[in-house]
Amino acid sequence: MDVLVVDDHPIVLQGCRRVLEDAGIGTVHEATGIAAGYRRFRRHRPAIVVADLTFQGASLSGLALIRRIRAVAPATRILVFSMHDDPEIVARALESGASGYVLKDTASAELHLAFERVRDGGTYVAPSLAAEVARLRREAPAAPSLTPRERQILERLGAGRSHGAIAEELGLSYKTIANACTQMRRKLGARTLADLIRVALREAGRAP
């Protein structure tokens, strides 16, 4: 069985490799970015992918990687290994197609357990997050009135795109995207970009 680990921190890659080798995995492929990770996935077709969600310059772009992999290989099992303990981000990762979610500050024994659970066809969510994720099934209030352009930007934030990627996709300047995010934070009562992304994730989760 082949496994692919996608993370931009060398120490994390080394730690994952040790845990996977302890689990009896003989072939572990590695990638340090989203594009490289997808290329290696298409080349090696691993049965399981262990991936982070955040990469340098691309907040939550791991969500897009999960969706792309699931689109071309629905049977692939994906375990998220992330520093994000926000239950809304966890829920979005699961909705995108992840089979499990483990925090990076967890003990290696829990990562091992999560991997085995996912490998065997089950699901796993870190116990410290499971109850909070379950509570998110309650319907969240709709966002206040946003312009069509703001909603386009908000949707792309929820999909894990960076300001630069959104600007390129919509044919706008980086400054325009940054200003729009500032305006949306005011409208939505979001104090930080992270708060705004949480709103975007909620909205994306409510989409049909």
Side-chain angles (χ1 to χ4, degrees):
M1 174 185 290
D2 285 14
V3 174
L4 170 64
V5 181
V6 187
D7 198 291
D8 58 1
H9 292 86
I11 293 177
V12 173
L13 289 173
Q14 293 172 13
C16 282
R17 177 178 286 278
R18 282 198 301 272
V19 171
L20 294 173
E21 289 174 347
D22 289 344
I25 301 301
T27 304
V28 180
H29 307 284
E30 298 177 352
T32 57
I34 294 299
Y38 188 68
R39 286 196 300 270
R40 284 187 175 272
F41 174 79
R42 294 300 298 264
R43 178 179 180 183
H44 299 290
R45 292 288 178 158
I48 302 175
V49 175
V50 179
D52 195 358
L53 291 181
T54 303
F55 293 79
Q56 186 173 7
S59 177
L60 295 179
S61 57
L63 293 173
L65 176 64
I66 293 171
R67 287 192 290 270
R68 289 186 73 186
I69 290 174
R70 294 287 290 174
V72 299
T76 302
R77 311 292 290 170
I78 302 173
L79 174 63
V80 173
F81 190 43
S82 172
M83 63 178 284
H84 292 291
D85 60 0
D86 187 318
E88 291 175 357
I89 293 178
V90 179
R92 191 57 182 158
L94 298 175
E95 290 164 5
S96 295
S99 303
Y101 197 107
V102 181
L103 297 175
K104 283 189 174 181
D105 61 359
T106 190
S108 59
E110 185 178 347
L111 176 58
H112 192 156
L113 172 62
F115 176 80
E116 290 186 332
R117 189 80 57 82
V118 168
R119 180 194 61 189
D120 295 341
T123 59
Y124 185 94
V125 176
S128 61
L129 295 172
E132 295 181 61
V133 173
R135 292 193 194 103
L136 292 180
R137 295 190 179 277
R138 296 176 301 190
E139 186 174 0
S145 59
L146 300 177
T147 67
R149 177 66 77 194
E150 287 171 339
R151 287 199 171 276
Q152 286 182 317
I153 295 170
L154 190 66
E155 289 170 2
R156 285 160 175 77
L157 285 174
R161 292 176 176 80
S162 66
H163 284 22
I166 296 172
E168 183 176 352
E169 185 172 338
L170 297 180
L172 302 171
S173 70
Y174 183 97
K175 184 176 180 180
T176 297
I177 301 302
N179 288 341
C181 287
T182 298
Q183 291 296 325
M184 285 191 288
R185 288 208 309 270
R186 290 172 182 162
K187 289 183 179 182
L188 301 172
R191 290 179 296 176
T192 66
L193 178 60
D195 291 336
L196 184 59
I197 289 174
R198 279 193 284 271
V199 174
L201 292 173
R202 276 204 306 268
E203 289 297 299
R206 287 158 52 88

